[in-house]
Amino acid sequence: QVQVVESGGGLVQAGGSLRLSCVASGSISSINNMGWYRQAPGKQRELVAIISRGGYTNYQDSVKGRFTISRDNARNTVSLQMNSLKPEDTAVYYCNLDISSSGRLRNYWGQGTQVTVSS
């Protein structure tokens, strides 16, 4: 079995920083793309940032220059460093992983972590 656990959300003032982390555990052969999504109240879930196994990254335009996604393949972790946070960044953040386990490639979601940015 595979488990995906997130941590690091919280309440921060505008202009502040937070770091989110997501770790996968269990019978894992490899992890391909690792991404962060977010969902604000009343809105659809949207991609924030994604990183390939080789380290290629892609960001939503609204977070470019403020957020940085990184991964540690040895520890099966992905992190999102969020700087210069704005109230519009308030959302539940989810990690999303493409995991190869027991000969199968499946997509996994974390449980979500709340990020609240006050003005």
Side-chain angles (χ1 to χ4, degrees), residues 95-117:
C95 65
N96 180 268
L97 311 179
D98 291 328
I99 298 176
S100 178
S101 174
S102 302
R104 297 179 60 187
L105 182 63
R106 293 182 58 185
N107 186 259
Y108 292 83
W109 289 95
Q111 81 280 10
T113 185
Q114 177 70 46
V115 171
T116 302
V117 184

Side-chain angles (χ1 to χ4, degrees), residues 31-86:
I31 303 178
N32 295 337
N33 287 341
M34 306 177 90
W36 287 95
Y37 289 72
R38 67 186 180 187
Q39 187 166 19
K43 295 188 177 182
Q44 290 187 331
R45 191 172 298 188
E46 61 180 8
L47 176 66
V48 175
I50 192 167
I51 184 168
S52 71
R53 182 167 180 81
Y56 291 101
T57 60
N58 194 27
Y59 296 90
Q60 181 190 111
D61 285 346
S62 68
V63 308
K64 286 181 180 177
R66 299 189 297 122
F67 291 10
T68 302
I69 189 171
S70 60
R71 64 187 288 167
D72 183 334
N73 291 332
R75 298 182 180 183
N76 293 331
T77 61
V78 59
S79 299
L80 185 68
Q81 178 66 41
M82 304 185 294
N83 299 329
S84 302
L85 282 161
K86 304 175 181 180

Side-chain angles (χ1 to χ4, degrees), residues 2 22 30 37 40 67 77 90:
V2 173
C22 173
S30 63
Y37 289 72
F67 291 10
T77 61
T90 295

